[in-house]
Amino acid sequence: MPLDTSTMDQLVDAVSRFVRERCIPLEEQVSELDKVPDDLIEEMKTLGLFGLTVPEEYGGLGLNTEEDACVVGAKELGLMPKHAYLVNTSRGPIVDEQASVAALRAK
């Protein structure tokens, strides 16, 4: 079942805040050690970031592909450093292509 607009906005805000407050401050450490800290991975799991499209009955958030693509938008892509890579290992186009292009052009 699709999320209502308010819930979707809350999810996007939570992910954006998580990236800004938890991921970006660790960027240098992750780059140097070539490893994401275990506690950060656990936080990502708690937020449901490893199961956005997995049905709720199996522990995911049950997002559809369109909703999934909204979680990573232009604002979030714009936070990535110039040397970063975005690797889509998903089953389909979950990254908003237009947002990706906009973020790259803004750099």
Side-chain angles (χ1 to χ4, degrees):
M1 175 195 313
L3 296 179
D4 62 81
T5 303
S6 175
T7 303
M8 191 65 204
D9 288 345
Q10 289 175 8
L11 173 61
V12 171
D13 287 345
V15 170
S16 199
R17 186 172 45 255
F18 177 76
V19 169
R20 194 174 52 253
E21 294 175 4
R22 294 291 292 132
C23 298
I24 290 175
L26 295 175
E27 179 184 350
E28 190 172 314
Q29 175 188 337
V30 170
S31 182
E32 287 175 9
L33 300 177
D34 194 28
K35 182 182 184 323
V36 177
D38 292 339
D39 63 321
L40 191 64
I41 291 173
E42 290 304 315
E43 285 183 62
M44 292 170 73
K45 288 179 185 177
T46 300
L47 284 172
L49 299 180
F50 286 107
L52 294 173
T53 59
V54 173
E56 291 181 69
E57 61 264 27
Y58 298 112
L61 295 180
L63 301 185
N64 63 37
T65 303
E66 183 180 342
E67 292 168 331
D68 197 14
C70 292
V71 174
V72 180
K75 183 172 73 173
E76 293 74 27
L77 292 168
L79 295 172
M80 293 174 64
K82 289 184 179 187
H83 63 275
Y85 292 90
L86 175 64
V87 180
N88 179 4
T89 60
S90 181
R91 73 211 174 321
I94 67 163
V95 177
D96 182 336
E97 186 177 335
Q98 291 177 343
S100 301
V101 171
L104 289 170
R105 286 186 176 149
K107 292 277 179 185

